[in-house]
Amino acid sequence: WYETLFFTPQKAAWHGQDPEGDKVRELVKGESVLELGCGGVKTVPHSLGVDIIKGGEMIPTVAQRSVADLQADVTKLPADLGKFDTIIARHILEHCLDAVAALEHWKSFLAPGGRLILAVPDDTIIESIPLNPEHKHAFTPGSLANLMRLVGLENAQGYQLGNGSSCIVAADLTACH
């Protein structure tokens, strides 16, 4: 329990153990990447990192400095941000009060044919809401893929990582949207 709660994906990356990040990097499409909730370590170093904590400031929960390029609430991104080939949101969606609105908002920043990659706690492995009182939603690979299809993202693929807590789902915005 302690390791699941306190050995976050960011801390794993600092220790060179990031199977979740490795899988996310495999799924990245194109060159322009937006990473939501980047915290203290970007999954893709050249991505535009967005976090609620301003770049350079300490993140209290992980005792690391934020590497954000842009300080913003990920559910209220500035309209002039542009379009991206890939958007990454690792362990963010489960914190959003309105998951559908968040996905619709993020989708608006995808270029035609762009990809949204989400990593969330996998509720088939671990009961994620009791794990963290800040979690508003629980997901399985199937429920997350269904949600992505609901908002108009296609080819949703789910991946269980075998890391004891997470799953990843990637889906694409078809060129006609």
Side-chain angles (χ1 to χ4, degrees), residues 15-32:
H15 292 87
Q17 304 167 356
D18 189 13
E20 182 182 289
D22 293 341
K23 185 61 180 178
V24 168
R25 285 184 286 278
E26 281 178 29
L27 296 169
V28 168
K29 185 177 185 179
E31 288 298 315
S32 61

Side-chain angles (χ1 to χ4, degrees), residues 125-162:
I125 297 171
I126 189 165
E127 291 186 23
S128 61
I129 290 178
L131 180 70
N132 183 335
E134 294 176 359
H135 289 180
K136 310 288 188 250
H137 303 281
F139 300 102
T140 66
S143 71
L144 191 55
N146 287 338
L147 188 59
M148 291 172 90
R149 283 189 288 273
L150 176 76
V151 300
L153 296 167
E154 304 289 330
N155 306 317
Q157 294 279 23
Y159 305 89
Q160 288 185 306
L161 299 175

Side-chain angles (χ1 to χ4, degrees), residues 67-138:
V67 296
D69 302 301
L70 173 65
Q71 180 185 14
D73 177 335
V74 298
T75 64
K76 299 173 186 164
L77 297 169
D80 63 350
L81 201 53
K83 299 287 185 178
F84 296 87
D85 298 321
T86 299
I87 297 175
I88 299 168
R90 290 176 69 185
H91 299 278
I92 300 299
L93 188 62
E94 66 272 17
H95 296 270
C96 297
L97 189 58
D98 187 339
V100 172
L103 288 174
E104 289 281 359
H105 183 61
W106 299 345
K107 183 179 90 169
S108 72
F109 294 96
L110 280 175
R115 175 169 289 164
L116 177 60
I117 303 170
L118 303 174
V120 296
D122 184 345
D123 214 57
T124 63
I125 297 171
I126 189 165
E127 291 186 23
S128 61
I129 290 178
L131 180 70
N132 183 335
E134 294 176 359
H135 289 180
K136 310 288 188 250
H137 303 281

Side-chain angles (χ1 to χ4, degrees), residues 8-15 37-41 51 59 62 64 90:
T8 64
Q10 288 182 343
K11 288 181 182 177
W14 302 332
H15 292 87
C38 64
V41 178
D51 203 277
I59 304 166
V62 293
Q64 176 74 8
R90 290 176 69 185

